[in-house]
Amino acid sequence: MEKAGPPVTKRSLYSWVFSDNYKLQILLVIIIIITVLIRVLPLEMQKRIVNEAINLRKIDLLFFYCGLYLAAVVVAGGLKYLINALQTLIGQRVSARMRKELYGHILTLPLGFFRKTQPGMVVSSLITELAAAGDFAGNAVAVPVTSILTLIAFAGYLVWLNPILGFVSLSIYPVVLFLLPLLQKRANTANKKRVDTTRDLASKIAESITGIHEIQSNGAFGIENRKYGDLVDKLMKIRIVWNLYRYGIKTSNNFFSSLSPFLIFILGGYLAINGRLELGALVAFLSAQEKLYDPWKELIEFYQAYQDSSVGYYRTMEYFDFEPEYALEPEDREPYQLEGSIEVKDLSFTVEGGIRLLDGITFSMKPGENLALVGFSGSGKSTLAQCLNQLYKYTGGHVWIGGKEVSELSKRDIVYNTGFVAQAPFIFSGTFEENLLYSCMARNRGSGTADRESLPTLDEMIEILQQTGIFVDVLRFGLNAFLVPDQDEELVYRIVRVREKFQRNFGEALADSVEFFDENKYLYYSNIFENITFGTPKREVFGEGKLLRSKYFRQFLEDVDLYKPLFDLGDELAKTVVDILGDLPPDEIFFEQSPIRPDELDGYKALVDRLRKRKHQEISSEDKEKLLALALRFTPGRHKIAPFSEMLENLILESRALFREKISDFDPEAVSFFRKSDYIYSQTLMNNILFGKTKTGAPHALEEIDRNIVQVLVEEDLLETVVKTGMQYQVGSKGDKLSGGQRQKLAIARTFLKAPPVLILDEATSALDNKSQARIQSVIETRWKGRATVIAVAHRLDTIKNFHRVAVLKAGKIVEIGPYDELMAGKGMLYELATGKR
Amino acid sequence: MSLPPGKDNVCVSCEFEQNLGIIREIYFFSTMPLEIVKVLAYLCAREDFKAGDYLFQQGDDDGRAFYFVSGRAGLVCSEEDTDHVVRHVEEGEFLGGLSLLGNMPRLFSLKTLTDTTCLILTREKFKKAAERYPEIMPKIIQSVIKGIRDWERKFFLSHAMGCNDCRRNLGVSLI
Ligand SMILES: Nc1ncnc2c1ncn2[C@@H]1O[C@H](COP(=O)(O)OP(=O)(O)O)[C@@H](O)[C@H]1O
Ligand SMILES: [Mg+2]
């Protein structure tokens, strides 16, 4: 699909104008030509209206010419709009294309490049800087063609009307053409100075703000004001010069342009008086002459825009002008299916500054063998792992995988034959399943659903989830999901059955850690709204918070004397949360105990600001509603930031019965109450099985609940269904809705699922607890033994005893390599590392 | 509880404010500005344990710091199937601050002796807070250094002077 051509960073700005857009550009030019011709028509009509219709007093001709005039104006307007539309289309297509290609290029750049590059720089390049270049490309043909053609057409018309007058009035443009670049060059010089000085000024301001303590403690206001003042003055002078040139260009352009009517009046007037020129012709001439000005101005502005955007474009492209270190695709062949032997000889890796990170590394492994890499941190373990995997390009020696030199393989060969779990693996936003299949999808060229068949089956995925110890986590995601009414009738029915069984078997044992729904008790782990209604508003009648906002419900709260206390609670909650969380980033972890969600924080911040400034009576009803909504979300068992009085608790509990009574009168369909026999759609699967909510976040208690639930689910053959639901869990941006351990397990799982012949694990289990670590260790030792060659960088020495061999790295060299027991018996480096004794 | 003035209904049962009071007293966090202490107090969670539960086990890298709100526990060191109780942890004690800072597989197990309530801060939450307020790290490091030095000085003065074997193994404060 890619045409061979220069890399994106080496392309000229004009190359984008045509690539892909040939047809559009040609269409554009044709429309422009028509438009220009049509634009001349009114001038001719003007002449004829005066000369023929009015002078000869012919009404029918007047109507006819006026009709033509009108038609020409209308059509020209319509075509102008079409031209603009085409320009936009081309410009946006070019922008999109540039963004995609540059992004694609950036992704393939060597890792070393990213060590030095700020993500913000890449972001602004892709988003802001290329926009101007794209806009330019949209105009690159249209504007000059339109302007020049219009100029020529009008100029030709002028000459046709009257050659002498025509040439005289055109004579000024060469003068402008000569003067303009001179002025523009000076303006550009001043502009560059302005950019530099502005940057100096910005860093000066930043410096003073950072060093404000020092300035104040020294009372150095005078010094700093002077330094700042000097820069401001300098900038002022530069800006004056710059603006003078810019206005100079404008004014001289205007001046010369307005000289030509003057010439025409003198000359044309003389000719007309002498009867050598018709009056109509003079009028037409004057208005045609006037029309020269607009295209001329556009041409000049285009010239300036060209200069600006090409500076931005080339500077951006230069910044990313590096070559990828490896070919992405193999040439003229399918990717190799290598066997997993590894041979490393005299491998060295030297980075800028001549620092040798790896030196003389030599070892070899047969397919299916495994090797542990150990050593102090900074000894080069990760670097070695990444050299084997093409993440770094080694600078000396050889690495052969399955007999092929790694530096000569394409990226796809490596992707096919190796799997790598990084020290700090990265998880992308999307569902759990998407992340689990990430490596497999990428191997299948990321073509998504098209080849779903070549992707692992649910059973295979579940097997890997179990091996990596993340099965229970996914199950829990599934249990925390909501079902949609009328979609899973069968499942809903079965869950209610599970509920009964669960209650029977575990109800009593879990009384400490689960708060079961009980009509006569206050539920501390449900919110106030649920406590009042003890049910769920039905979607059709009071869906999406409508009940909450309804007058009916508000009136009810007033009637049971809850309105005021709830309003006060909302007020307190908003203030407290904003006080504690106001400055924090919208990160899930900060909001676990907050009734305000991350995306609502800014809104409530503004609300609290308003509350501070205003008196109670003046609060808008919208704000009141927001506070009330917050209070209704309050769940004393989870939101520990505000007190919950017994009085309020009793009031709410009393209101519950009343609510049921009243709403059943008002609209019996409005609310579905929590009943043991009904599925509750507003609650998670888990809460539906429990018919209640867990009271605690304590791991040991949750584990017990999980165990019990799993038992019932297995008995009812529902486990797979729930896990499948759990795989649709959204992991959040950078996977921030997963714990560190879950992220690491997921990273291992996605690599295991790909099952490559060579597996490289860089401290892949460092964030896991002992049990999980041991589990994965045993998977490596049993399942992968003989099936994949495994190189594992180990962060703990008690996990490496069963590896075939251990290599100890020190300052980029292998100081010893051999079976664990041998090395320990030899009392060398490994012994020292393991025992801390010399 | 000492709270900033201006709150008219100082609550009796609000856990956050109690936590705030506790965190402010813990030496590990005591040098931090109030707005950060507030965030940490908010991020803490209370957890109840039954007598005989393990808070962590030798070798775990659980990454949690504990403050004993009530109850007692024993610090246990297991060697070859036998458990030695190293010492007791009492109400009001704080431990595990170091494991907030980075990987730290436990060298001991901690097992409750009575029903216990702890205030727990996890590494993950602490790190998020530290990302947001980078200025807390130097302060924490200072607290850690001071803690290590104080510990060794106390140990030196109270035991090591009279015990040759101990003296040879001194020097945590020199790492
Ligand atoms: N591309 C690079 N350029 C410069 N220094 C690097 C590069 N990659 C790694 N290093 C440095 O090399 C050393 C070894 O790093 P690493 O392989 O991550 O060690 P280990 O995994 O054994 O802890 C570190 O000091 C690291 O900062
Ligand atoms: Mg490393």
Side-chain angles (χ1 to χ4, degrees):
Chain A
M1 116 203 142
E2 291 290 310
K3 285 177 297 208
V8 54
T9 51
K10 295 245 193 298
R11 291 182 59 172
S12 72
L13 183 49
Y14 255 94
S15 72
W16 297 98
V17 174
F18 295 108
S19 68
D20 251 17
N21 292 317
Y22 264 109
K23 285 181 196 157
L24 282 178
Q25 297 280 26
I26 290 172
L27 180 65
L28 187 58
V29 170
I30 294 173
I31 297 177
I32 288 171
I33 292 173
I34 298 173
T35 316
V36 170
L37 291 180
I38 290 179
R39 267 203 213 158
V40 183
L41 203 61
L43 295 180
E44 182 61 21
M45 289 308 107
Q46 210 171 328
K47 190 182 90 185
R48 295 195 182 183
I49 289 170
V50 177
N51 278 354
E52 296 177 18
I54 302 181
N55 266 356
L56 304 177
R57 295 175 185 270
K58 287 192 176 161
I59 289 285
D60 52 341
L61 268 186
L62 178 67
F63 284 158
F64 178 65
Y65 289 140
C66 282
L68 272 185
Y69 185 103
L70 188 65
V73 171
V74 170
V75 173
L79 287 178
K80 177 75 192 163
Y81 186 77
L82 193 60
I83 292 173
N84 284 339
L86 277 173
Q87 268 172 289
T88 309
L89 180 63
I90 294 172
Q92 294 307 320
R93 276 167 59 113
V94 169
S95 290
R97 184 83 193 261
M98 272 184 195
R99 284 189 179 137
K100 284 189 210 162
E101 293 205 1
L102 185 59
Y103 182 74
H105 173 77
I106 292 173
L107 289 188
T108 64
L109 289 182
L111 288 187
F113 172 79
F114 296 97
R115 279 178 83 93
K116 291 176 290 196
T117 305
Q118 296 292 330
M121 166 67 200
V122 181
V123 173
S124 76
S125 299
L126 282 171
I127 294 177
T128 331
E129 312 234 346
L130 288 183
D135 286 346
F136 169 75
N139 300 340
V141 170
V143 174
V145 168
T146 317
S147 315
I148 291 174
L149 279 182
T150 318
L151 272 178
I152 292 177
F154 285 129
Y157 181 70
L158 288 181
V159 173
W160 177 72
L161 275 179
N162 189 316
I164 308 176
L165 270 183
F167 284 117
V168 167
S169 63
L170 290 176
S171 65
I172 47 160
Y173 289 100
V175 182
V176 182
L177 270 187
F178 169 76
L179 270 179
L180 200 71
L182 291 183
L183 287 170
Q184 180 66 40
K185 208 187 258 169
R186 295 185 181 215
N188 280 355
T189 317
N191 192 10
K192 274 180 202 147
K193 275 195 208 157
R194 178 190 64 90
V195 171
D196 292 344
T197 313
T198 310
R199 201 178 298 137
D200 288 348
L201 190 63
S203 63
K204 170 68 210 145
I205 296 171
E207 187 192 64
S208 335
I209 303 293
T210 332
I212 191 72
H213 291 114
E214 206 61 36
I215 296 172
Q216 293 201 346
S217 68
N218 283 303
F221 307 109
I223 301 181
E224 295 306 320
N225 280 330
R226 200 163 53 244
K227 286 197 230 163
Y228 176 76
D230 287 349
L231 277 173
V232 170
D233 288 344
K234 188 174 164 198
L235 184 61
M236 176 184 75
K237 282 176 200 149
I238 293 170
R239 288 193 75 115
I240 289 176
V241 173
W242 179 53
N243 277 309
L244 286 183
Y245 279 119
R246 291 206 313 172
Y247 288 123
I249 293 172
K250 232 186 197 167
T251 329
S252 54
N253 194 18
N254 281 342
F255 171 70
F256 283 106
S257 306
S258 46
L259 268 190
S260 56
F262 164 76
L263 293 175
I264 294 164
F265 277 129
I266 290 266
L267 197 61
Y270 178 77
L271 290 177
I273 290 172
N274 285 343
R276 282 157 60 191
L277 188 69
E278 292 152 4
L279 204 55
L282 186 59
V283 174
F285 201 95
L286 273 172
S287 44
Q289 195 280 329
E290 219 167 65
K291 295 223 157 86
L292 283 177
Y293 180 71
D294 279 342
W296 179 252
K297 201 181 81 187
E298 269 180 38
L299 204 57
I300 284 163
E301 280 171 1
F302 173 75
Y303 165 72
Q304 288 176 320
Y306 171 64
Q307 295 211 331
D308 290 349
S309 59
S310 59
V311 168
Y313 172 82
Y314 287 110
R315 195 183 295 141
T316 308
M317 287 304 181
E318 242 165 56
Y319 190 85
F320 296 107
D321 190 16
F322 294 87
E323 303 234 335
E325 287 171 330
Y326 300 95
L328 292 184
E329 302 289 331
E331 261 175 52
D332 311 326
R333 60 171 170 83
E334 285 296 296
Y336 290 123
Q337 307 277 347
L338 303 174
E339 54 150 16
S341 67
I342 299 178
E343 175 87 37
V344 181
K345 195 159 168 244
D346 266 336
L347 177 74
S348 66
F349 181 57
T350 311
V351 290
E352 262 171 56
I355 303 162
R356 239 171 208 227
L357 295 182
L358 294 175
D359 190 6
I361 305 270
T362 301
F363 66 90
S364 69
M365 295 173 71
K366 289 200 266 304
E369 251 190 302
N370 53 38
L371 171 78
L373 277 181
V374 301
F376 288 114
S377 81
S379 58
K381 303 180 299 284
S382 297
T383 312
L384 175 56
Q386 282 163 303
C387 277
L388 299 182
N389 193 32
Q390 268 195 354
L391 285 174
Y392 284 135
K393 185 163 194 164
Y394 45 93
T395 48
H398 304 277
V399 178
W400 291 281
I401 291 183
K404 305 276 182 202
E405 177 85 52
V406 166
S407 62
E408 281 156 20
L409 292 176
S410 71
K411 196 94 223 164
R412 183 156 300 281
D413 292 315
I414 286 294
V415 166
Y416 257 75
N417 292 290
T418 68
F420 180 70
V421 182
Q423 196 164 356
F426 200 90
I427 304 297
F428 295 89
S429 55
T431 66
F432 186 93
E433 186 179 32
E434 280 163 3
N435 274 289
L436 182 63
L437 293 173
Y438 192 74
S439 300
C440 290
M441 298 264 246
R443 187 189 52 195
N444 304 352
R445 294 163 197 255
S447 39
T449 48
D451 47 2
R452 187 72 186 72
E453 286 135 51
S454 60
L455 289 175
T457 61
L458 181 64
D459 283 344
E460 284 169 315
M461 291 198 262
I462 287 181
E463 190 192 344
I464 295 286
L465 293 182
Q466 272 161 342
Q467 283 175 11
T468 46
I470 199 173
F471 181 80
V472 177
D473 304 75
V474 179
L475 187 73
R476 203 178 285 164
F477 298 149
L479 288 170
N480 283 330
F482 296 90
L483 294 183
V484 183
D486 306 326
Q487 260 184 26
D488 309 275
E489 294 291 347
E490 164 76 13
L491 182 59
V492 160
Y493 170 73
R494 290 169 72 189
I495 292 289
V496 174
R497 250 192 21 215
V498 168
R499 176 193 292 167
E500 288 157 17
K501 189 159 185 177
F502 188 85
Q503 287 274 329
R504 228 174 15 249
N505 294 359
F506 307 107
E508 265 171 48
L510 292 178
D512 270 353
S513 43
V514 178
E515 183 179 70
F516 295 106
F517 294 143
D518 181 338
E519 203 180 334
N520 303 313
K521 286 200 183 119
Y522 192 87
L523 306 169
Y524 296 97
Y525 294 85
S526 295
N527 64 34
I528 292 187
F529 183 69
E530 288 162 334
N531 266 292
I532 296 175
T533 58
F534 197 69
T536 310
K538 280 202 186 149
R539 225 165 260 274
E540 323 80 85
V541 189
F542 274 125
E544 300 293 324
K546 266 195 224 147
L547 174 61
L548 226 145
R549 262 184 271 134
S550 70
K551 247 197 196 121
Y552 177 81
F553 190 62
R554 186 100 42 87
Q555 189 55 49
F556 172 78
L557 292 182
E558 298 263 18
D559 292 347
V560 292
D561 291 334
L562 269 175
Y563 189 82
K564 176 79 172 67
L566 286 184
F567 177 84
D568 289 343
L569 178 63
D571 180 85
E572 158 129 26
L573 282 170
K575 284 179 179 154
T576 315
V577 174
V578 166
D579 178 44
I580 302 173
L581 297 182
D583 288 338
L584 295 175
D587 214 317
E588 283 297 328
I589 207 166
F590 292 128
F591 287 82
E592 276 167 12
Q593 301 178 50
S594 145
I596 295 180
R597 288 190 291 266
D599 55 323
E600 299 170 329
L601 185 62
D602 283 340
Y604 277 103
K605 246 157 111 173
L607 197 161
V608 167
D609 254 3
R610 289 197 289 277
L611 289 180
R612 292 235 163 78
K613 285 182 204 136
R614 254 167 255 174
K615 288 209 186 68
H616 194 100
Q617 308 84 287
E618 296 166 18
I619 302 170
S620 72
S621 62
E622 199 182 325
D623 282 353
K624 280 186 186 160
E625 202 167 88
K626 274 185 166 176
L627 292 177
L628 194 64
L630 201 57
L632 287 169
R633 258 190 234 167
F634 179 65
T635 309
R638 283 205 306 128
H639 306 137
K640 309 281 175 75
I641 42 172
F644 184 59
S645 68
E646 219 177 292
M647 196 187 76
L648 186 54
E649 178 182 327
N650 290 333
L651 263 179
I652 292 173
L653 204 50
E654 281 166 26
S655 77
R656 188 184 289 172
L658 221 62
F659 177 77
R660 173 172 286 207
E661 203 176 295
K662 286 202 162 176
I663 196 91
S664 304
D665 281 351
F666 172 71
D667 179 357
E669 287 299 304
V671 173
S672 69
F673 299 102
F674 296 168
R675 281 200 203 92
K676 277 213 166 133
S677 53
D678 292 348
Y679 191 87
I680 309 164
Y681 287 100
S682 66
Q683 298 288 335
T684 62
L685 261 178
M686 168 99 157
N687 294 348
N688 266 290
I689 295 176
L690 297 178
F691 195 64
K693 293 190 183 184
T694 51
K695 286 185 194 170
T696 144
H700 56 277
L702 288 180
E703 257 166 50
E704 191 184 342
I705 300 176
D706 283 347
R707 228 184 359 260
N708 297 338
I709 287 192
V710 168
Q711 193 184 322
V712 211
L713 288 179
V714 169
E715 284 167 14
E716 296 290 317
D717 195 24
L718 272 173
L719 202 59
E720 257 186 31
T721 317
V722 177
V723 170
K724 214 164 130 187
T725 315
M727 296 240 246
Q728 300 313 313
Y729 178 67
Q730 292 284 345
V731 299
S733 103
K734 298 184 200 163
D736 65 2
K737 286 190 185 166
L738 301 176
S739 72
Q742 286 170 338
R743 280 197 289 271
Q744 218 169 29
K745 287 179 192 167
L746 175 52
I748 298 171
R750 75 180 168 204
T751 308
F752 277 10
L753 200 57
K754 183 167 91 161
V758 173
L759 257 179
I760 300 167
L761 310 171
D762 189 358
E763 306 199 7
T765 56
S766 59
L768 305 189
D769 57 277
N770 274 359
K771 248 189 266 165
S772 314
Q773 220 166 108
R775 182 205 300 262
I776 287 169
Q777 190 60 34
S778 91
V779 172
I780 293 173
E781 283 163 15
T782 53
R783 194 184 130 94
W784 294 102
K785 199 165 228 162
R787 287 180 52 193
T789 316
V790 180
I791 295 185
V793 178
H795 63 290
R796 283 171 55 176
L797 297 173
D798 50 357
T799 56
I800 61 173
K801 294 189 178 110
N802 295 326
F803 277 84
H804 290 125
R805 276 181 305 158
V806 177
V808 184
L809 234 67
K810 190 180 176 183
K813 294 185 181 154
I814 292 188
V815 289
E816 58 187 25
I817 182 167
Y820 182 83
D821 294 336
E822 267 176 40
L823 294 188
M824 287 302 279
K827 307 225 157 163
M829 270 298 288
L830 182 65
Y831 180 78
E832 205 177 289
L833 277 173
T835 59
K837 289 183 195 142
R838 270 169 216 263
Chain B
M1 229 160 296
S2 50
L3 277 162
K7 288 212 164 176
D8 35 19
N9 62 336
V10 171
C11 52
V12 269
S13 59
C14 165
E15 211 179 280
F16 164 69
E17 309 217 327
Q18 292 165 11
N19 294 353
L20 187 60
I22 291 172
I23 297 279
R24 291 180 70 185
E25 301 288 310
I26 297 175
Y27 74 95
F28 203 76
F29 306 112
S30 56
T31 53
M32 283 186 223
L34 186 64
E35 69 261 26
I36 300 174
V37 174
K38 258 197 271 186
V39 170
L40 291 176
Y42 165 80
L43 290 174
C44 282
R46 280 173 190 236
E47 221 174 283
D48 297 325
F49 298 89
K50 295 237 163 59
D53 281 350
Y54 281 96
L55 303 195
F56 52 75
Q57 296 199 16
Q58 210 163 316
D60 280 354
D61 183 18
D62 59 325
R64 304 199 290 172
F66 300 83
Y67 173 87
F68 277 69
V69 179
S70 69
R72 317 171 56 218
L75 209 51
V76 182
C77 182
S78 331
E79 248 178 298
E80 328 238 312
D81 303 333
T82 50
D83 288 358
H84 314 280
V85 175
V86 182
R87 70 177 177 91
H88 288 161
V89 181
E90 309 285 340
E91 194 173 300
E93 213 171 309
F94 171 77
L95 89 175
L98 275 186
S99 57
L100 295 179
L101 305 181
N103 288 14
M104 170 85 144
R106 302 288 186 185
L107 298 172
F108 312 96
S109 303
L110 188 59
K111 187 179 180 184
T112 54
L113 301 170
T114 61
D115 284 2
T116 300
T117 301
C118 287
L119 192 58
I120 297 178
L121 183 60
T122 66
R123 184 187 302 153
E124 203 154 352
K125 290 183 175 176
F126 177 77
K127 277 204 166 150
K128 286 277 183 199
E131 265 167 36
R132 169 60 188 84
Y133 300 106
E135 65 269 29
I136 72 180
M137 280 324 282
K139 298 214 161 97
I140 290 277
I141 289 173
Q142 199 49 52
S143 299
V144 169
I145 292 173
K146 182 172 177 308
I148 291 178
R149 185 175 175 280
D150 288 352
W151 189 90
E152 185 152 72
R153 198 186 47 175
K154 206 171 76 192
F155 183 70
F156 186 67
L157 290 180
S158 57
H159 307 280
M161 286 300 272
C163 145
N164 261 337
D165 221 27
C166 310
R167 221 158 46 198
R168 223 171 298 125
N169 284 315
L170 273 177
V172 207
S173 58
L174 295 178
I175 48 172

